[in-house]
């Protein structure tokens, strides 16, 4: 149980275009989901906390207009990287809370902006 | 505020040898503690977690960790490692809502 599906696993896009990443909880309802960014050989950096039916809470330094988060249902949260640039290239990971102390992670999305 | 320190960025070890990956944390409230493993280009997989109860926690793949409140530590151990254990390991602390991750320890198992 407690599976989180993240798509796509890899995406290459041209500079200036937008990319949408989906995170779905398959067998449970996730009121809260987290979006992380991971640079090579580094830890996970929390970008934002996504709550179903409300606006996401962004961490300091994360541009909310560039990284649009939508959590319209209890099983789906999306991260859209708008007007992507090469510096946005990174590994993005979502996570959902199932219960106290239960965090389940998606498999990650490798974004390359060329 | 909570934080996690993983003292070793890289731990090389020979196959079948024991290993310990160190993790220290700080928090002003009661904590939940986790160890995750990450293989290249993949998400994080839970190895084990401490929520309450016994301080010795057993996880998957033969790993275990011991919660030491006085030393604010949660070190991960395995008595005999395999080549397939080569991966990045992350310690995390949570107050029950948002987890905070350490910088990770790269475990490299040599044949």
């Amino acid at each position: 149980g407690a599976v989180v599906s993240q798509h796509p696993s890899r995406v290459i896009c041209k500079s200036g275009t937008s990319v949408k990443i989906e995170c779905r909880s398959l067998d449970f309802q996730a009121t809260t989901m987290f979006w992380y960014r991971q640079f090579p050989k580094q830890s996970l950096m929390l970008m934002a906390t996504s709550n179903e039916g409300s606006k996401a809470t962004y961490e300091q330094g994360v541009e909310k207009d560039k990284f649009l988060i939508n959590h319209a249902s209890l099983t789906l949260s999306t991260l859209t990287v708008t007007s992507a640039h090469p510096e946005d290239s990174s590994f993005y990971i979502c996570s959902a809370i199932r219960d106290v102390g239960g965090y389940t992670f998606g498999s990650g999305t490798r974004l390359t902006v060329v | 505020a909570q934080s996690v320190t993983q003292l070793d960025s890289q731990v090389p070890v020979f196959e079948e040898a024991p290993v310990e990956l160190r993790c220290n944390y700080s928090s002003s409230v009661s904590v939940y503690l986790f160890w995750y493993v990450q293989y290249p280009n993949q998400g994080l997989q839970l190895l084990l977690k401490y929520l309450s109860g016994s301080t010795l926690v057993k996880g998957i793949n033969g790993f275990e960790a011991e919660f030491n409140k006085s030393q604010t530590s949660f070190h991960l151990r395995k008595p005999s490692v395999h080549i397939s254990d080569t991966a990045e390991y992350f310690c995390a602390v949570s107050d029950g809502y948002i987890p905070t991750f350490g910088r990770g320890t790269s475990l490299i198992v040599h044949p």
Side-chain angles (χ1 to χ4, degrees):
Chain A
V3 176
V4 171
S5 175
Q6 185 174 343
H7 291 281
S9 58
R10 292 176 183 272
V11 58
I12 301 173
C13 70
K14 291 186 177 181
S15 187
T17 62
S18 296
V19 173
K20 180 184 284 189
I21 302 170
E22 291 189 349
C23 182
R24 293 181 184 272
S25 56
L26 297 185
D27 53 357
F28 67 102
Q29 293 182 330
T31 306
T32 301
M33 289 188 178
F34 303 106
W35 286 96
Y36 295 88
R37 182 173 180 175
Q38 187 179 31
F39 293 99
K41 300 295 183 182
Q42 293 190 29
S43 187
L44 282 71
M45 181 191 79
L46 180 65
M47 298 175 66
T49 302
S50 166
N51 291 297
E52 186 267 337
S54 63
K55 291 184 178 180
T57 302
Y58 290 82
E59 295 299 300
Q60 191 172 9
V62 178
E63 299 176 60
K64 59 183 67 177
D65 294 331
K66 166 168 275 295
F67 299 101
L68 299 179
I69 292 172
N70 183 278
H71 195 156
S73 77
L74 286 171
T75 59
L76 175 64
S77 177
T78 60
L79 167 67
T80 301
V81 183
T82 63
S83 187
H85 291 285
E87 58 266 30
D88 298 324
S89 297
S90 193
F91 193 60
Y92 294 88
I93 307 176
C94 68
S95 172
I97 298 179
R98 180 174 186 178
D99 48 38
V100 174
Y103 305 99
T104 303
F105 288 82
S107 55
T109 297
R110 173 72 60 193
L111 170 63
T112 304
V113 185
V114 297
Chain B
Q2 54 195 26
S3 66
V4 176
T5 302
Q6 291 183 246
L7 294 166
D8 307 301
S9 60
Q10 202 172 84
V11 173
V13 64
F14 285 107
E15 193 173 19
E16 297 184 7
V19 70
E20 179 179 81
L21 306 184
R22 297 181 292 171
C23 173
N24 287 89
Y25 70 92
S26 67
S27 176
S28 57
V29 298
S30 297
V31 298
Y32 305 115
L33 295 157
F34 309 83
W35 275 100
Y36 289 90
V37 61
Q38 184 181 35
Y39 298 100
N41 290 311
Q42 293 188 29
L44 274 66
Q45 179 184 5
L46 180 67
L47 281 176
L48 49 79
K49 61 184 176 183
Y50 171 79
L51 302 182
S52 65
S54 174
T55 57
L56 182 62
V57 181
K58 293 189 182 297
I60 62 171
N61 301 341
F63 285 95
E64 65 179 32
E66 186 156 19
F67 170 56
N68 188 318
K69 189 174 182 179
S70 63
Q71 297 186 7
T72 61
S73 68
F74 191 56
H75 301 331
L76 180 71
R77 293 189 285 262
K78 185 170 183 177
S80 176
V81 295
H82 301 287
I83 295 287
S84 58
D85 292 323
T86 295
E88 195 76 17
Y89 291 79
F90 291 95
C91 180
V93 62
S94 166
D95 58 2
Y97 187 48
I98 299 177
T100 300
F101 290 87
R103 65 175 184 172
T105 298
S106 181
L107 175 63
I108 303 170
V109 182
H110 297 287

